Amino acid sequence: MADETNVTVTGTEPALTTIAKIGGHEGRSVRLEGWLYNLRASGKLLFPIFRDGSGTIQGIVPKAAVSEEVFETIKNLTLESSLTVTGKVRADKRAPSGYELDVESIEVAQRIPDETPFPITLKEHGVDFLMEHRHLWVRTPRQSAILRIRAEIIKAARDYLDENGFTLTDPPILTPAACEGTSTLFPVEYFGEEAFLTQSGQLYIESTALALGKVYSFGPTFRAEKSKTRRHLTEFWMIEPEACYMDLDGLMSLAEGFLTHIVSRVLEAHRGELKVIGRDVARLEAVIAPANSNTPDASFEGDGLQPVREGSTTGAGFGPGGNRFPRLSYDQAHAMLLDAHAKGFIENAHVYGDDFGSPDETYISNQFNKPVLVHRYPAAVKAFYMQPDPLDATKALCVDVLAPEGYGEIIGGSQRVDSYDLLKSRIEAHNLPMDAFQWYLDLRRYGSVPHSGFGMGIERCVAWICGLEHVRETIPFARTLNRIYP
Ligand code: 4AD
Ligand code: MG
């Protein structure tokens, strides 16, 4: 019996592999499962390009080298038809992947009929058309590259937190109350009662932080944003670390270490994808370069780079050492904006006390080649849970991280109010339903500690790292003010 089994498996059948791993099979025949990405014919030669999700490879099909049937099948194959191709792997310096495939045979899984060709072609399509066909658009090399980098960013972000002692704790998505302000809540009917889709896991992970010390959440969050900008989605993914006994300075160091790690990992593993997207990698290299390559705009006569404040110990161990990002207080950022307005660089003069608008953020972040940490905004424009600055109670101990090249806010965070009385009065002042916040107040009744956290929107980070115009390309299926299809 054993002998018979041996006879059937001693495979002369070529090994099944992927284009990404094809280099390990040089000189041998392999099978690839994929799709026809492109086809060029030149007399008795066919040049099909195959893709399999892991990459693309050009095949060579000389008429004389294959059967009539194989030649005709490939010659008549339509783009995006699914197939299994067998061929011999040959190194070729000119090929983008370094290899070509001398095709031996092909098995077509589904040939797309000529009458209904794949709708997305190599010609230019409008954005509306592409978004309408997003379920197919994701197959194109640029979109696939973006999704692969998105996956790396998520993994790098999680690895950084996992390796620094943070435990993943998942907050609920259906919630009874607002976290980030009542105007952008998505209501859902919950067995006859009103509930909401979560805007942020923060309040819940403050609870798990008091249990586990350092925690994070990663999941979908929802904002009924009426804004139609290149930075806003109604459904986006947020990663939120929260740590006990961490102050604002510790939090800023954490943000620096976190972003440096993410950018380094993308540069390490995805130069090929960055090239497909057309990203200027020098911009990313500047982000992780040592701190002194950081030059604030020469026209700004302020102390742009604030030193670490004395007395902060909780930031120890985070951050990349001498690789700090520039830090600006709100007041310094405001001065920078007034100066820019006076010189005619921005149209509207920033009003002291107001939050920064998109053009303001764009201007500030354009002054640096690294992400810039803007801290201590006026408490009045920020969330109810932010700890006031002991040196100036009109300011919140908060930080927004603005990505360079005009990308604007990618991270928002703060130290949290830890006093029961202050938190209670904040909930009242913001007209939030006290009943729904009793559990949150419990966190200040029982062993309250100073603690801090931030949230990073994955899509904003992907848009910046990939250098994209709009966040709609950073997530497989974007949800925006006027799109919920497909
Ligand atoms: O600044 P936000 O609103 O902060 C919070 O939600 C805090 N509770 C987070 C925390 O401290 N744990 O949002 C955090 C980040 C923003 O910096 C941005 O990257 C992203 O979430 N974000 C959005 N991304 C896409 N579309 C939107 N509509 C977004 N709103 C926020
Ligand atoms: Mg924010």
Side-chain angles (χ1 to χ4, degrees), residues 58-132:
Q58 173 160 285
I60 314 286
V61 194
K63 197 168 174 26
V66 295
S67 72
E68 179 78 24
E69 194 200 336
V70 168
F71 191 82
E72 288 305 312
T73 302
I74 296 175
K75 193 175 163 195
N76 293 308
L77 211 48
T78 44
L79 300 191
E80 282 306 310
S81 287
S82 43
L83 51 88
T84 301
V85 61
T86 303
K88 193 178 263 180
V89 181
R90 179 168 39 75
D92 186 311
K93 284 207 189 72
R94 292 158 306 169
S97 65
Y99 298 92
E100 286 191 337
L101 195 69
D102 290 323
V103 175
E104 294 163 341
S105 65
I106 192 157
E107 211 178 291
V108 177
Q110 190 222 3
R111 181 182 182 279
I112 301 176
D114 299 295
E115 309 79 62
T116 54
F118 189 70
I120 297 172
T121 60
L122 294 176
K123 72 165 196 189
E124 290 267 313
H125 294 285
V127 166
D128 283 341
F129 178 88
L130 291 170
M131 289 305 288
E132 199 70 15

Side-chain angles (χ1 to χ4, degrees), residues 362-381:
T362 301
Y363 180 82
I364 297 166
S365 65
N366 263 329
Q367 307 315 304
F368 303 92
N369 57 11
K370 289 173 188 277
V372 49
L373 282 62
V374 183
H375 54 89
R376 296 179 172 81
Y377 285 64
V381 300

Side-chain angles (χ1 to χ4, degrees), residues 8 30 70 121 139 148 172 182 193 201 254 342-343 356 393 407 417 450:
T8 48
V30 296
V70 168
T121 60
R139 297 186 194 187
R148 209 167 272 126
T182 48
E193 291 195 14
L254 176 65
K343 291 178 173 147
F356 300 126
Y407 276 91
V417 169

Side-chain angles (χ1 to χ4, degrees), residues 200-437:
S200 156
Q202 180 197 320
L203 306 189
Y204 292 95
I205 62 169
E206 285 186 52
S207 153
T208 55
L210 286 159
L212 302 170
K214 293 192 282 185
V215 299
Y216 70 100
S217 63
F218 172 58
T221 47
F222 304 85
R223 307 258 170 116
E225 302 262 14
K226 288 272 156 52
S227 31
K228 239 175 97 178
T229 78
R230 62 194 186 91
R231 297 173 186 176
H232 288 91
L233 295 167
T234 53
E235 178 182 309
F236 61 98
W237 288 67
M238 207 189 317
I239 186 156
E240 299 180 82
E242 188 77 29
C244 292
Y245 296 102
M246 180 180 274
D247 63 10
L248 178 64
D249 281 312
L251 188 69
M252 292 200 276
S253 298
L254 176 65
E256 287 169 336
F258 181 73
L259 288 174
T260 303
H261 181 74
I262 292 170
V263 173
S264 307
R265 281 269 297 263
V266 171
L267 281 171
E268 257 164 52
H270 295 282
R271 288 195 180 250
E273 279 83 6
L274 291 167
K275 194 170 171 204
V276 168
I277 300 166
R279 182 62 164 130
D280 177 2
V281 290
R283 297 289 204 149
L284 299 177
E285 281 158 351
V287 170
I288 58 171
N292 55 12
S293 64
N294 227 328
T295 4
D297 182 74
S299 66
F300 175 61
E301 293 150 21
D303 170 20
L305 305 177
Q306 180 170 305
V308 196
R309 293 200 318 179
E310 296 295 321
S312 168
T313 52
T314 46
F318 292 112
N323 181 32
R324 306 187 72 84
F325 295 161
R327 298 181 180 195
L328 286 182
S329 67
Y330 172 90
D331 287 4
Q332 289 170 321
H334 169 74
M336 181 187 255
L337 290 171
L338 283 192
D339 184 61
H341 173 67
K343 291 178 173 147
F345 297 145
I346 43 176
E347 202 178 312
N348 297 315
H350 178 252
V351 177
Y352 188 82
D354 283 3
D355 204 347
F356 300 126
S358 269
D360 301 327
E361 281 188 1
T362 301
Y363 180 82
I364 297 166
S365 65
N366 263 329
Q367 307 315 304
F368 303 92
N369 57 11
K370 289 173 188 277
V372 49
L373 282 62
V374 183
H375 54 89
R376 296 179 172 81
Y377 285 64
V381 300
K382 289 287 180 185
F384 75 96
Y385 51 71
M386 292 184 180
Q387 177 78 9
D389 185 348
L391 301 177
D392 172 4
T394 68
K395 299 281 171 37
L397 291 179
C398 64
V399 60
D400 276 4
V401 181
L402 312 183
E405 300 169 70
Y407 276 91
E409 181 193 338
I410 54 168
I411 285 181
S414 74
Q415 194 170 320
R416 320 305 191 187
V417 169
D418 53 55
S419 137
Y420 174 87
D421 291 332
L422 179 57
L423 186 60
K424 186 159 176 274
S425 66
R426 285 290 181 80
I427 293 169
E428 279 161 1
H430 281 77
N431 287 317
L432 294 167
M434 194 58 76
D435 283 354
F437 284 93

